[in-house]
Amino acid sequence: HNVKSNDIFPVHPLFSAEDTIDDSAQRVRADFPTDFPTAQFKRFANSTDGVKLDPLIFHQCSYAGSEFVNGAVAIGEIIGWAVRTVSPAAFASKWYVGRARPEEVAFEIGKNKQRFFINLNDPMVQHVRTMKLTNASDFTAYKEGSPVHPSYPAMHSAASSASTWMTVVADLTEEQKAEV
């Protein structure tokens, strides 16, 4: 748990390269569905490049200053709409597909079961067997285990829909597009 996330995968600029896997797990556990897309948009808005909203989508008043209702309020509405629109499909897919959670697979491996199509000689499988898991939640960052719904698709796909709509409503730089 004290392994740095950055040692395993690239860390998004919203987060610290010094974060551990446990820091990342706790962040995801406690997030509100609109937290990360809001933080992403605020990061862009507060950057040197800023964010220019498409005037054909958002009417901008002619007076000096930033537009609040057709700016921040409108973006907040889109963020909420996107999460609300994608969420039912994500959860319906979870229950239709019913993909096992990683801790379920790890626990089955630890019990030498072959319920899942895995290569029992794979080094990762061998490593999981050495963990001596007594229950599935031993493989998670949470004592109570993960949520009881299937793992796929991740609910965070609702929030990550920002990568689609943000490039439509705002004139992002190439660096911002790559970050989203």
Side-chain angles (χ1 to χ4, degrees):
H1 294 276
N2 290 322
V3 174
K4 288 185 182 177
S5 300
N6 201 34
D7 291 341
I8 299 171
F9 48 80
V11 175
H12 191 276
L14 285 176
F15 312 114
S16 169
E18 298 302 310
D19 285 350
T20 65
I21 290 296
D22 191 57
D23 294 331
S24 298
Q26 298 309 322
R27 183 183 303 109
V28 170
R29 176 189 201 186
D31 72 324
F32 192 75
T34 58
D35 283 351
F36 295 131
T38 300
Q40 182 67 69
F41 192 83
K42 287 170 68 174
R43 175 178 155 74
F44 289 165
N46 295 327
S47 71
T48 305
D49 294 322
V51 176
K52 183 176 186 284
L53 298 177
D54 186 331
L56 297 175
I57 298 173
F58 303 98
H59 172 73
Q60 301 295 305
C61 295
S62 58
Y63 61 85
S66 65
E67 173 63 49
F68 182 67
V69 173
N70 291 319
V73 172
I75 292 299
E77 179 183 20
I78 291 173
I79 291 169
W81 169 85
V83 170
R84 174 67 180 101
T85 300
V86 174
S87 297
F91 269 90
S93 296
K94 283 177 184 288
W95 288 109
Y96 180 78
V97 174
R99 183 175 290 174
R101 288 193 164 274
E103 66 271 19
E104 294 172 308
V105 176
F107 191 57
E108 291 291 314
I109 289 170
K111 294 188 324 188
N112 292 316
K113 300 244 177 150
Q114 288 193 332
R115 186 175 119 200
F116 304 105
F117 300 104
I118 56 172
N119 175 356
L120 296 176
N121 296 317
D122 184 282
M124 183 60 71
V125 170
Q126 297 301 319
H127 177 71
V128 168
R129 285 188 169 156
T130 67
M131 298 172 115
K132 307 283 188 227
L133 303 173
T134 58
N135 59 59
S137 65
D138 289 346
F139 194 73
T140 72
Y142 318 123
K143 289 179 181 146
E144 72 279 8
S146 296
V148 295
H149 54 74
S151 67
Y152 175 83
M155 181 52 204
H156 296 95
S157 60
S160 66
S161 67
S163 63
T164 301
W165 64 257
M166 204 177 290
T167 58
V168 172
V169 303
D171 183 19
L172 301 180
T173 66
E174 290 304 314
E175 292 79 21
Q176 290 171 330
K177 287 177 188 175
E179 186 175 316
V180 173

